[in-house]
Amino acid sequence: MIERILPADVAAEVAYGEHTPESGDEMYPQEKALVAKAVPKRQREFTTVRILARRALRSLGQPPVPLLPNRRGAPQWPEGIVGSMTHCDGYRAAVVAKSAATAALGIDAEPNAPLPEGVLETITLPSERTRIASLTARHPEVSWDRLIFSAKESVFKVWYPLTGLELDFSEAEIDMDPAERTFHARLLVPGPVVGGQRLDAFSGRWIAAHGLVATAIHMKYETSSVIH
C-alpha cells in the first residue's frame, strides 16, 4: 500500500497480517537484545519491520546490517541511506532510498478508525479540528482525525533526522486535500535547512485502503520538495 504513494526510486517492502520469516531473515543479536524483555506483540513488530527493511536495502544493493534505534527510537540507517518504518495492527512497512538524491523519508500507517477519546484535542490545533469536521461530513469513509495523526507522524520522521530536535504535535499544521490525496504540513517553528534552503513546510501524499490510512513524505535534494 505505501509503495503506491512513493516514487519508483524508493525501495519499499510491506507485510499484511502476521509475518512469516523466510530463509535469510534472521535477526542480529544486538537487535534481539533490545526486545528480549518486550511483550510478544512488540517483539513481532520490531522483528518484522527490520526484516522488511533489510529486504528493501538488498534491492538497493546494500549488504544486511543491524538496524538499531537511536536515543529517540529512530532506526539508524547505513551510510548513504535514508529510510523510514511503520507498523500497526495488521500492517508493517519499511522504505529506503539513496541519500545522494533523497534528503528524507517519512511514512506512517494507522487503522482507518477514529482516534481514542481525548486524543484528538491533544494532537490537533483548533483549525485542524475545523477541517476534520468538514472533511468528515463530506467524506465519512475516511477517519480524518486518524489521517492527520498519521501525517504528523510522517512529518516527525522527516523532521527529526534533519534537525535532531523534537517536534510537538502543535508545531505543525496539516491541511488535507481529499481530491488529490495530498497533504501540506506548515511548520510553526523554524524549519530545517535542506540544500541551502530553510524549509517552512513539508508536503506528502496519503492513501486509504485495506482498512488502513497511510501517509508518506519523500523529499528530494534538488527541489527540497515532495516528488509525487
Side-chain angles (χ1 to χ4, degrees):
M1 184 174 78
I2 204 77
E3 68 278 4
R4 292 164 58 185
I5 53 174
L6 286 164
D9 61 345
V10 174
E13 291 286 339
V14 306
Y16 293 90
E18 289 300 322
H19 173 258
T20 302
E22 301 175 0
S23 176
D25 281 344
E26 292 79 10
M27 290 283 283
Y28 284 81
Q30 308 98 300
E31 295 171 329
K32 291 180 180 179
L34 289 172
V35 290
K37 297 181 180 180
V39 298
K41 181 176 183 292
R42 170 58 180 157
Q43 290 180 347
R44 290 193 298 271
E45 292 170 345
F46 185 92
T47 298
T48 301
V49 292
R50 278 157 177 77
I51 288 172
L52 295 174
R54 277 192 278 275
R55 290 180 187 173
L57 286 168
R58 193 180 309 133
S59 72
L60 294 182
Q62 296 288 314
V65 294
L67 297 170
L68 306 177
N70 63 16
R71 63 176 181 81
R72 183 56 178 74
Q76 299 179 83
W77 300 101
E79 185 176 355
I81 296 293
V82 294
S84 186
M85 301 175 178
T86 188
H87 54 76
C88 66
D89 285 346
Y91 187 73
R92 317 278 189 265
V95 299
V96 294
K98 297 287 184 68
S99 62
T102 299
L105 277 171
I107 64 169
D108 184 75
E110 304 286 336
N112 187 9
L115 290 168
E117 186 176 353
V119 174
L120 181 64
E121 291 73 19
T122 302
I123 64 100
T124 57
L125 300 164
S127 59
E128 293 170 326
R129 292 194 287 275
T130 298
R131 293 188 193 110
I132 288 169
S134 175
L135 288 165
T136 300
R138 289 182 287 140
H139 306 281
E141 70 279 5
V142 176
S143 292
W144 295 98
D145 56 346
R146 186 79 71 158
L147 187 59
I148 283 185
F149 173 78
S150 176
K152 292 198 175 192
E153 288 290 298
S154 287
V155 166
F156 182 79
K157 291 177 182 180
V158 169
W159 164 276
Y160 185 77
L162 294 174
T163 66
L165 302 173
E166 299 292 326
L167 185 72
D168 191 79
F169 284 114
S170 64
E171 294 176 329
E173 183 180 17
I174 307 295
D175 189 8
M176 290 284 175
D177 186 327
E180 296 297 325
R181 296 205 166 197
T182 60
F183 66 90
H184 183 78
R186 182 169 67 94
L187 298 173
L188 306 180
V189 293
V193 175
V194 178
Q197 175 185 356
R198 184 171 294 279
L199 305 182
D200 59 8
F202 299 137
S203 294
R205 301 181 69 189
W206 65 270
I207 188 172
H210 307 294
L212 305 166
V213 293
T215 55
I217 298 172
H218 175 241
M219 185 180 296
K220 299 285 281 186
Y221 269 116
E222 56 264 35
T223 61
S224 296
S225 65
V226 170
I227 304 300
H228 294 304

